[in-house]
Amino acid sequence: LQPNHPAVTARRIMDLGMQLDGSAVALMVAVLPKPDQTVAVLLRVYPMNNAYLPLGLQLAGLYEDGQAFLEVQARGDDDYIQLKFCAEFGERFRVRVGLNDAVIIENFVI
């Protein structure tokens, strides 16, 4: 699933408005309908000002109750981190982006 894929029906890029280790980051969410009536979801976090994400920056997909179903952490030379998963229309999930004590959580509905 590529963010610029022509079949991507929804794409949203959010400046998370926070400095993490001196770096501003943005969250991109892309949704691609699949033939089986589900959707492929792509979450990516990009650095806004620097070439790389801060070491240890975390991206997590969460169930509504806050339990993580997918997590990834930035390494030394990552220019983005991403998660991919499938969901059903009407399904709710949360996205957590954090570094140390700085955390942002966004809520989504497919």
Side-chain angles (χ1 to χ4, degrees):
L1 175 66
Q2 294 297 320
N4 295 324
H5 190 285
V8 170
T9 59
R11 180 179 24 239
R12 181 176 173 195
I13 299 176
M14 304 165 46
D15 178 351
L16 294 179
M18 65 188 302
Q19 294 287 321
L20 297 172
D21 195 27
S23 300
V25 297
L27 171 66
M28 184 210 60
V29 180
V31 177
L32 174 67
K34 296 175 59 176
D36 65 359
Q37 305 304 312
T38 64
V39 294
V41 179
L42 172 66
L43 307 173
R44 277 193 185 169
V45 175
Y46 295 94
M48 295 290 288
N49 301 332
N50 298 323
Y52 302 109
L53 289 169
L55 179 67
L57 178 82
Q58 297 174 335
L59 169 64
L62 311 173
Y63 294 111
E64 284 186 275
D65 66 3
Q67 180 78 18
F69 60 83
L70 283 174
E71 293 181 279
V72 66
Q73 185 170 330
R75 298 165 298 199
D77 292 335
D78 286 336
D79 55 356
Y80 69 89
I81 54 176
Q82 69 180 16
L83 296 175
K84 295 185 250 183
F85 59 93
C86 291
E88 296 180 1
F89 287 102
E91 194 169 339
R92 297 175 183 272
F93 66 95
R94 302 166 83 187
V95 176
R96 182 183 69 222
V97 178
L99 181 65
N100 301 322
D101 293 333
V103 175
I104 283 213
I105 296 177
E106 294 286 335
N107 298 304
F108 293 91
V109 178
I110 297 295

